[in-house]
Coordinates of all heavy atoms in Angstrom, one line a residue:
M289 N 0.8 -1.2 0.0 CA 0.0 0.0 0.0 C 0.9 1.2 0.0 O 1.9 1.3 0.7 CB -0.9 0.0 1.2 CG -1.8 1.2 1.4 SD -2.8 0.9 2.8 CE -2.8 2.5 3.5
I290 N 0.5 2.2 -0.8 CA 1.2 3.5 -0.8 C 0.5 4.5 0.1 O -0.7 4.6 0.0 CB 1.3 4.1 -2.2 CG1 2.0 3.1 -3.2 CG2 1.9 5.4 -2.3 CD1 3.4 2.9 -3.0
E291 N 1.3 5.2 0.9 CA 0.7 6.2 1.8 C 1.3 7.6 1.4 O 2.5 7.7 0.9 CB 1.1 6.0 3.3 CG 0.4 4.9 3.9 CD 0.8 4.7 5.4 OE1 1.8 5.4 5.9 OE2 0.1 4.0 6.1
Y292 N 0.5 8.6 1.5 CA 0.9 10.0 1.1 C 1.4 10.6 2.4 O 0.8 10.5 3.5 CB -0.2 10.8 0.6 CG -0.7 10.4 -0.8 CD1 -1.9 10.8 -1.3 CD2 0.1 9.5 -1.6 CE1 -2.3 10.4 -2.6 CE2 -0.4 9.1 -2.9 CZ -1.6 9.6 -3.3 OH -2.0 9.2 -4.6
R293 N 2.4 11.4 2.3 CA 3.0 12.2 3.5 C 2.9 13.7 3.2 O 3.6 14.5 3.8 CB 4.4 11.8 3.7 CG 4.6 10.4 4.1 CD 6.0 10.1 4.2 NE 6.3 9.1 5.3 CZ 7.5 8.6 5.5 NH1 8.5 9.0 4.9 NH2 7.6 7.7 6.5
V294 N 2.0 14.1 2.3 CA 1.9 15.5 1.9 C 1.5 16.4 3.1 O 2.0 17.4 3.3 CB 1.0 15.7 0.7 CG1 0.8 17.1 0.3 CG2 1.5 14.9 -0.5
G295 N 0.5 15.9 3.8 CA 0.0 16.6 4.9 C 1.1 16.9 6.0 O 1.2 18.0 6.5
D296 N 1.9 15.9 6.2 CA 3.0 16.1 7.2 C 4.0 17.1 6.7 O 4.5 18.0 7.5 CB 3.7 14.8 7.4 CG 2.9 13.7 8.1 OD1 1.9 14.1 8.8 OD2 3.2 12.5 7.9
L297 N 4.3 17.1 5.4 CA 5.3 18.0 4.8 C 4.7 19.5 4.9 O 5.5 20.4 5.2 CB 5.6 17.7 3.4 CG 6.5 16.4 3.3 CD1 6.6 16.0 1.8 CD2 7.9 16.6 3.8
I298 N 3.5 19.6 4.6 CA 2.9 20.9 4.7 C 2.9 21.5 6.1 O 3.2 22.7 6.3 CB 1.4 20.9 4.1 CG1 1.4 20.6 2.6 CG2 0.7 22.3 4.4 CD1 0.0 20.3 2.1
K299 N 2.6 20.7 7.1 CA 2.6 21.1 8.5 C 4.0 21.6 8.9 O 4.2 22.6 9.5 CB 2.2 20.0 9.4 CG 0.7 19.7 9.4 CD 0.3 18.6 10.3 CE -1.1 18.2 10.1 NZ -1.5 16.9 10.8
K300 N 5.0 20.8 8.5 CA 6.4 21.2 8.8 C 6.9 22.5 8.1 O 7.7 23.2 8.6 CB 7.4 20.0 8.4 CG 7.2 18.8 9.3 CD 8.2 17.7 8.8 CE 7.9 16.5 9.6 NZ 8.8 15.4 9.1
S301 N 6.2 22.8 7.0 CA 6.7 24.0 6.2 C 6.0 25.3 6.7 O 6.5 26.3 6.4 CB 6.3 23.8 4.7 OG 4.9 24.0 4.5
D302 N 5.0 25.1 7.6 CA 4.3 26.3 8.1 C 3.7 27.2 7.0 O 3.6 28.4 7.2 CB 5.2 27.2 9.0 CG 5.6 26.5 10.3 OD1 4.8 25.7 10.8 OD2 6.7 26.7 10.8
K303 N 3.4 26.6 5.9 CA 2.7 27.3 4.8 C 1.2 26.9 4.8 O 0.9 25.8 5.1 CB 3.3 26.9 3.4 CG 4.8 27.2 3.2 CD 4.9 28.5 2.7 CE 6.4 28.8 2.3 NZ 6.7 30.0 1.8
S304 N 0.4 27.8 4.4 CA -1.0 27.5 4.2 C -1.2 26.8 2.9 O -0.4 26.9 2.0 CB -1.9 28.8 4.2 OG -1.7 29.5 3.0
Y305 N -2.3 26.1 2.8 CA -2.6 25.4 1.5 C -2.7 26.4 0.4 O -2.2 26.1 -0.7 CB -4.0 24.7 1.6 CG -4.0 23.5 2.6 CD1 -5.3 22.9 2.9 CD2 -2.9 23.0 3.3 CE1 -5.4 21.9 3.8 CE2 -3.0 22.0 4.2 CZ -4.2 21.4 4.4 OH -4.3 20.4 5.3
R306 N -3.3 27.5 0.6 CA -3.4 28.5 -0.4 C -2.1 29.1 -0.9 O -1.8 29.3 -2.1 CB -4.3 29.7 0.1 CG -5.1 30.3 -1.0 CD -6.3 31.2 -0.6 NE -7.4 30.5 0.0 CZ -8.3 29.8 -0.6 NH1 -8.1 29.5 -1.9 NH2 -9.4 29.3 0.0
T307 N -1.2 29.4 0.1 CA 0.1 29.8 -0.2 C 0.9 28.8 -1.0 O 1.5 29.1 -2.1 CB 0.9 30.2 1.0 OG1 0.2 31.2 1.7 CG2 2.3 30.7 0.7
L308 N 0.9 27.6 -0.6 CA 1.6 26.5 -1.2 C 1.0 26.3 -2.7 O 1.8 26.2 -3.6 CB 1.4 25.2 -0.5 CG 2.0 23.9 -1.1 CD1 3.5 24.0 -1.3 CD2 1.6 22.7 -0.2
A309 N -0.3 26.3 -2.8 CA -0.9 26.1 -4.1 C -0.4 27.2 -5.1 O -0.1 27.0 -6.2 CB -2.4 26.2 -4.0
G310 N -0.4 28.5 -4.6 CA 0.0 29.6 -5.4 C 1.5 29.5 -5.8 O 1.9 29.8 -7.0
E311 N 2.3 29.1 -4.9 CA 3.8 29.0 -5.1 C 4.1 27.9 -6.1 O 5.1 28.0 -6.8 CB 4.5 28.8 -3.8 CG 4.5 30.1 -3.0 CD 5.4 30.0 -1.8 OE1 6.3 29.2 -1.7 OE2 5.1 30.8 -0.8
I312 N 3.4 26.8 -6.1 CA 3.8 25.7 -7.0 C 2.8 25.5 -8.2 O 3.0 24.7 -9.1 CB 3.9 24.3 -6.3 CG1 2.6 23.9 -5.7 CG2 5.0 24.4 -5.2 CD1 2.7 22.5 -5.0
G313 N 1.8 26.3 -8.3 CA 0.9 26.3 -9.5 C -0.1 25.2 -9.5 O -0.4 24.7 -10.5
L314 N -0.6 24.8 -8.3 CA -1.7 23.8 -8.2 C -2.9 24.5 -7.6 O -2.8 25.5 -6.9 CB -1.2 22.7 -7.4 CG -0.1 21.8 -7.9 CD1 0.3 20.7 -6.9 CD2 -0.6 21.1 -9.2
A315 N -4.0 23.9 -7.9 CA -5.3 24.4 -7.3 C -5.3 24.1 -5.8 O -4.8 23.1 -5.3 CB -6.5 23.7 -7.9
Y316 N -5.9 25.1 -5.0 CA -6.1 24.9 -3.6 C -6.8 23.6 -3.3 O -6.3 22.9 -2.4 CB -6.9 26.1 -3.1 CG -7.4 25.9 -1.6 CD1 -6.6 26.2 -0.6 CD2 -8.6 25.3 -1.3 CE1 -7.0 26.0 0.7 CE2 -9.0 25.1 0.0 CZ -8.2 25.4 1.0 OH -8.6 25.2 2.3
A317 N -7.8 23.2 -4.1 CA -8.5 22.0 -3.8 C -7.6 20.7 -4.0 O -7.7 19.8 -3.2 CB -9.7 21.8 -4.8
T318 N -6.7 20.8 -4.9 CA -5.7 19.7 -5.1 C -4.8 19.5 -3.9 O -4.6 18.4 -3.4 CB -4.8 19.9 -6.3 OG1 -5.7 20.0 -7.5 CG2 -3.8 18.8 -6.5
I319 N -4.3 20.7 -3.4 CA -3.4 20.6 -2.2 C -4.2 20.1 -1.0 O -3.7 19.2 -0.2 CB -2.9 22.0 -1.9 CG1 -2.0 22.5 -3.0 CG2 -2.1 22.0 -0.6 CD1 -0.8 21.7 -3.3
S320 N -5.4 20.6 -0.8 CA -6.3 20.1 0.3 C -6.6 18.6 0.2 O -6.4 17.9 1.2 CB -7.6 20.9 0.3 OG -8.4 20.5 1.4
K321 N -6.9 18.2 -0.9 CA -7.2 16.7 -1.1 C -5.9 15.9 -0.8 O -6.0 14.8 -0.2 CB -7.7 16.4 -2.5 CG -9.1 16.9 -2.7 CD -9.5 16.7 -4.2 CE -10.9 17.4 -4.4 NZ -11.3 17.3 -5.9
L322 N -4.8 16.3 -1.3 CA -3.6 15.6 -1.1 C -3.2 15.6 0.4 O -2.7 14.6 0.9 CB -2.4 16.1 -1.9 CG -2.4 15.8 -3.4 CD1 -1.4 16.6 -4.2 CD2 -2.2 14.3 -3.6
A323 N -3.4 16.7 1.1 CA -3.0 16.8 2.5 C -3.9 15.9 3.3 O -3.4 15.4 4.4 CB -3.2 18.2 2.9
H324 N -5.1 15.6 2.9 CA -6.0 14.8 3.7 C -6.1 13.3 3.2 O -6.7 12.5 3.9 CB -7.4 15.4 3.8 CG -7.4 16.7 4.5 ND1 -7.3 17.9 3.9 CD2 -7.4 17.0 5.8 CE1 -7.3 18.9 4.8 NE2 -7.3 18.4 6.0
A325 N -5.6 13.1 2.1 CA -5.6 11.7 1.5 C -4.6 10.8 2.2 O -3.5 11.2 2.5 CB -5.3 11.8 0.0
R326 N -5.1 9.6 2.4 CA -4.2 8.6 3.0 C -3.3 7.9 1.9 O -2.3 7.3 2.2 CB -5.0 7.5 3.8 CG -5.8 8.1 4.9 CD -5.0 8.5 6.1 NE -4.3 7.3 6.6 CZ -3.2 7.4 7.4 NH1 -2.7 8.5 7.7 NH2 -2.7 6.3 7.8
G327 N -3.9 7.9 0.7 CA -3.2 7.2 -0.4 C -4.0 7.3 -1.7 O -5.0 8.0 -1.7
P328 N -3.6 6.5 -2.7 CA -4.2 6.6 -4.0 C -5.7 6.2 -4.0 O -6.4 6.6 -4.9 CB -3.4 5.6 -4.9 CG -2.2 5.2 -4.1 CD -2.4 5.6 -2.7
D329 N -6.1 5.5 -3.0 CA -7.6 5.1 -3.0 C -8.4 6.4 -2.7 O -9.6 6.5 -3.0 CB -7.9 4.1 -1.9 CG -7.3 2.7 -2.3 OD1 -7.0 2.5 -3.5 OD2 -7.1 1.9 -1.4
D330 N -7.8 7.4 -2.0 CA -8.5 8.6 -1.6 C -8.3 9.7 -2.7 O -9.3 10.4 -3.0 CB -8.0 9.2 -0.3 CG -8.2 8.3 0.9 OD1 -9.2 7.6 0.8 OD2 -7.4 8.3 1.8
Y331 N -7.1 9.8 -3.3 CA -6.8 10.8 -4.3 C -5.6 10.3 -5.0 O -4.5 10.1 -4.4 CB -6.6 12.2 -3.7 CG -6.6 13.3 -4.7 CD1 -7.7 13.8 -5.2 CD2 -5.3 13.8 -5.1 CE1 -7.7 14.8 -6.2 CE2 -5.3 14.8 -6.1 CZ -6.4 15.3 -6.6 OH -6.4 16.3 -7.5
D332 N -5.7 10.3 -6.4 CA -4.6 9.8 -7.2 C -3.6 11.0 -7.5 O -4.1 12.0 -7.9 CB -5.1 9.2 -8.5 CG -4.1 8.2 -9.1 OD1 -3.1 7.8 -8.4 OD2 -4.4 7.8 -10.2
I333 N -2.4 10.8 -7.4 CA -1.4 11.9 -7.6 C -0.7 11.6 -9.0 O -0.3 10.4 -9.2 CB -0.4 12.0 -6.5 CG1 0.5 13.2 -6.6 CG2 0.4 10.7 -6.3 CD1 1.4 13.5 -5.4
C334 N -0.6 12.6 -9.8 CA 0.1 12.4 -11.1 C 1.6 12.8 -11.0 O 2.0 13.4 -10.0 CB -0.6 13.1 -12.2 SG -0.5 14.9 -12.1
A335 N 2.4 12.3 -11.9 CA 3.8 12.5 -11.9 C 4.2 14.0 -11.9 O 5.1 14.5 -11.2 CB 4.5 11.8 -13.1
S336 N 3.4 14.9 -12.6 CA 3.8 16.3 -12.7 C 3.5 17.0 -11.3 O 4.2 17.8 -10.9 CB 3.0 17.0 -13.8 OG 1.6 16.9 -13.6
T337 N 2.4 16.5 -10.6 CA 2.1 17.1 -9.3 C 3.2 16.6 -8.3 O 3.7 17.4 -7.5 CB 0.7 16.6 -8.8 OG1 -0.2 17.1 -9.7 CG2 0.4 17.1 -7.4
L338 N 3.6 15.4 -8.4 CA 4.7 14.8 -7.5 C 6.0 15.6 -7.8 O 6.6 16.0 -6.8 CB 4.9 13.3 -7.8 CG 5.9 12.6 -7.0 CD1 5.5 12.7 -5.5 CD2 6.0 11.2 -7.4
D339 N 6.3 15.9 -9.0 CA 7.5 16.7 -9.4 C 7.4 18.1 -8.7 O 8.4 18.5 -8.2 CB 7.6 16.7 -10.9 CG 8.9 17.5 -11.3 OD1 10.0 17.1 -10.8 OD2 8.8 18.5 -12.1
K340 N 6.3 18.7 -8.8 CA 6.1 20.1 -8.3 C 6.3 20.1 -6.8 O 7.0 20.9 -6.2 CB 4.8 20.7 -8.6 CG 4.7 21.1 -10.1 CD 3.3 21.6 -10.4 CE 3.2 21.9 -11.9 NZ 1.9 22.5 -12.2
L341 N 5.7 19.0 -6.1 CA 5.9 18.9 -4.7 C 7.3 18.7 -4.3 O 7.8 19.2 -3.3 CB 4.9 17.8 -4.1 CG 3.5 18.1 -4.2 CD1 2.7 16.8 -3.9 CD2 3.1 19.2 -3.2
C342 N 8.0 17.8 -5.0 CA 9.4 17.5 -4.7 C 10.3 18.7 -4.9 O 11.1 19.0 -4.0 CB 9.9 16.4 -5.7 SG 9.3 14.7 -5.3
C343 N 10.0 19.5 -5.9 CA 10.8 20.8 -6.1 C 10.5 21.7 -5.0 O 11.5 22.4 -4.5 CB 10.4 21.4 -7.5 SG 11.1 20.5 -8.9
F344 N 9.3 21.9 -4.6 CA 8.9 22.9 -3.6 C 9.6 22.5 -2.2 O 10.2 23.3 -1.5 CB 7.4 23.0 -3.4 CG 7.0 23.9 -2.3 CD1 7.0 25.3 -2.5 CD2 6.7 23.5 -1.0 CE1 6.7 26.2 -1.5 CE2 6.4 24.3 0.0 CZ 6.4 25.7 -0.3
F345 N 9.4 21.2 -1.8 CA 9.9 20.7 -0.5 C 11.4 20.3 -0.6 O 11.9 19.9 0.5 CB 9.0 19.6 0.0 CG 7.6 20.0 0.4 CD1 6.6 19.5 -0.3 CD2 7.4 20.8 1.4 CE1 5.3 19.8 0.0 CE2 6.1 21.2 1.8 CZ 5.1 20.7 1.1
K346 N 12.0 20.4 -1.8 CA 13.4 20.0 -1.9 C 13.6 18.6 -1.4 O 14.5 18.4 -0.5 CB 14.3 21.0 -1.3 CG 14.2 22.4 -1.9 CD 15.1 23.4 -1.2 CE 15.1 24.7 -1.8 NZ 13.8 25.4 -1.8
C347 N 12.8 17.7 -1.9 CA 12.9 16.3 -1.4 C 12.7 15.3 -2.6 O 12.6 15.8 -3.8 CB 11.9 16.0 -0.4 SG 10.2 16.1 -1.0
G348 N 12.7 14.1 -2.4 CA 12.5 13.1 -3.4 C 11.1 12.4 -3.2 O 10.5 12.6 -2.2
P349 N 10.7 11.7 -4.2 CA 9.4 11.0 -4.1 C 9.2 10.1 -2.9 O 8.1 10.0 -2.3 CB 9.3 10.1 -5.4 CG 10.3 10.8 -6.4 CD 11.4 11.4 -5.5
G350 N 10.3 9.6 -2.4 CA 10.2 8.7 -1.2 C 9.9 9.5 0.1 O 9.5 8.9 1.1
D351 N 10.1 10.8 0.0 CA 9.7 11.7 1.2 C 8.2 12.0 1.1 O 7.7 12.4 2.1 CB 10.5 12.9 1.2 CG 12.0 12.7 1.3 OD1 12.4 11.9 2.2 OD2 12.8 13.2 0.5
I352 N 7.6 11.9 0.0 CA 6.2 12.2 -0.2 C 5.3 11.0 -0.2 O 4.2 10.9 0.3 CB 6.0 13.0 -1.5 CG1 6.7 14.4 -1.4 CG2 4.5 13.2 -1.8 CD1 6.7 15.2 -2.6
L353 N 5.9 9.9 -0.8 CA 5.2 8.6 -0.9 C 5.9 7.6 0.0 O 7.1 7.5 -0.1 CB 5.1 8.1 -2.3 CG 4.6 9.1 -3.4 CD1 4.8 8.5 -4.8 CD2 3.1 9.4 -3.1
K354 N 5.2 6.8 0.7 CA 5.8 5.7 1.5 C 5.1 4.4 1.2 O 3.9 4.3 1.1 CB 5.6 6.0 3.0 CG 6.1 5.0 3.9 CD 5.9 5.3 5.3 CE 6.4 4.1 6.2 NZ 6.1 4.3 7.6
H355 N 5.9 3.4 0.9 CA 5.4 2.1 0.7 C 5.2 1.4 2.0 O 6.2 1.2 2.8 CB 6.2 1.2 -0.3 CG 5.7 -0.1 -0.5 ND1 6.1 -1.2 0.2 CD2 4.7 -0.5 -1.3 CE1 5.4 -2.3 -0.3 NE2 4.5 -1.9 -1.1
K356 N 4.0 0.9 2.3 CA 3.8 0.2 3.6 C 3.4 -1.2 3.2 O 2.4 -1.4 2.5 CB 2.7 0.9 4.3 CG 2.5 0.4 5.7 CD 1.5 1.3 6.5 CE 1.3 0.7 7.9 NZ 0.3 1.5 8.6
N357 N 4.1 -2.1 3.8 CA 3.8 -3.6 3.5 C 2.5 -3.9 4.2 O 2.3 -3.8 5.4 CB 5.0 -4.4 4.0 CG 4.8 -5.9 3.6 OD1 3.9 -6.2 2.9 ND2 5.8 -6.7 4.0
N358 N 1.6 -4.4 3.4 CA 0.3 -4.9 3.9 C 0.2 -6.4 3.7 O -0.6 -6.9 3.0 CB -0.8 -4.1 3.3 CG -0.8 -4.2 1.8 OD1 0.2 -4.5 1.2 ND2 -2.0 -4.0 1.1
S359 N 1.1 -7.1 4.4 CA 1.2 -8.5 4.3 C -0.2 -9.2 4.6 O -0.9 -8.8 5.5 CB 2.3 -9.1 5.2 OG 2.0 -8.7 6.5
G360 N -0.5 -10.2 3.9 CA -1.7 -10.9 4.1 C -2.9 -10.3 3.3 O -4.0 -10.9 3.3
R361 N -2.7 -9.2 2.6 CA -3.8 -8.6 1.9 C -3.5 -8.8 0.4 O -2.4 -8.7 0.0 CB -3.9 -7.2 2.2 CG -4.4 -6.9 3.6 CD -4.6 -5.5 3.9 NE -5.6 -4.9 3.0 CZ -5.8 -3.6 2.8 NH1 -5.1 -2.8 3.5 NH2 -6.7 -3.2 2.0
G362 N -4.6 -8.9 -0.3 CA -4.5 -8.9 -1.8 C -4.0 -10.3 -2.3 O -3.8 -11.3 -1.6
R363 N -3.8 -10.3 -3.6 CA -3.3 -11.5 -4.3 C -1.8 -11.6 -4.2 O -1.1 -10.7 -4.4 CB -3.7 -11.3 -5.8 CG -4.6 -12.3 -6.3 CD -5.0 -12.1 -7.7 NE -4.0 -11.4 -8.5 CZ -4.1 -11.1 -9.7 NH1 -5.1 -11.6 -10.4 NH2 -3.2 -10.5 -10.4
K364 N -1.4 -12.8 -4.1 CA 0.1 -13.1 -4.1 C 0.5 -13.5 -5.5 O -0.2 -14.3 -6.1 CB 0.4 -14.2 -3.1 CG 0.3 -13.8 -1.7 CD 0.9 -14.9 -0.8 CE 0.8 -14.4 0.6 NZ 1.4 -15.3 1.6
R365 N 1.6 -13.0 -6.0 CA 2.0 -13.3 -7.3 C 3.0 -14.5 -7.2 O 3.9 -14.5 -6.3 CB 2.8 -12.1 -7.9 CG 1.8 -11.0 -8.2 CD 2.4 -9.7 -8.7 NE 3.7 -9.8 -9.3 CZ 4.5 -8.8 -9.4 NH1 4.1 -7.6 -9.0 NH2 5.7 -8.9 -9.9
S366 N 2.9 -15.5 -8.0 CA 3.7 -16.6 -7.9 C 5.1 -16.3 -8.4 O 5.3 -15.4 -9.2 CB 3.2 -17.8 -8.9 OG 3.2 -17.3 -10.2
G367 N 6.1 -16.8 -7.7 CA 7.5 -16.6 -8.0 C 8.1 -15.3 -7.4 O 9.2 -15.0 -7.6
V368 N 7.3 -14.6 -6.6 CA 7.7 -13.4 -6.0 C 7.8 -13.6 -4.5 O 6.8 -14.0 -3.9 CB 6.8 -12.2 -6.3 CG1 7.3 -10.9 -5.6 CG2 6.8 -12.0 -7.8
A369 N 8.9 -13.3 -3.9 CA 9.1 -13.5 -2.5 C 8.4 -12.4 -1.7 O 8.3 -11.4 -2.1 CB 10.5 -13.6 -2.1

């Protein structure tokens, strides 16, 4: 499962959603949805948005997205450990 950490990064930056949206060229609604989304099931993030967030926060995708192992859930693929 992929988790979003956008909300945490915004809190650490002390920027408002509106200020952040204006500085990186995204809609306020997009920033708000990303800040409150737990992952792609709540709101899907595109590569260009991820790039803008990485540039603004001076970080990499791994600082915004976190892979969380959800063992026991979903289908297992054969041949994959």
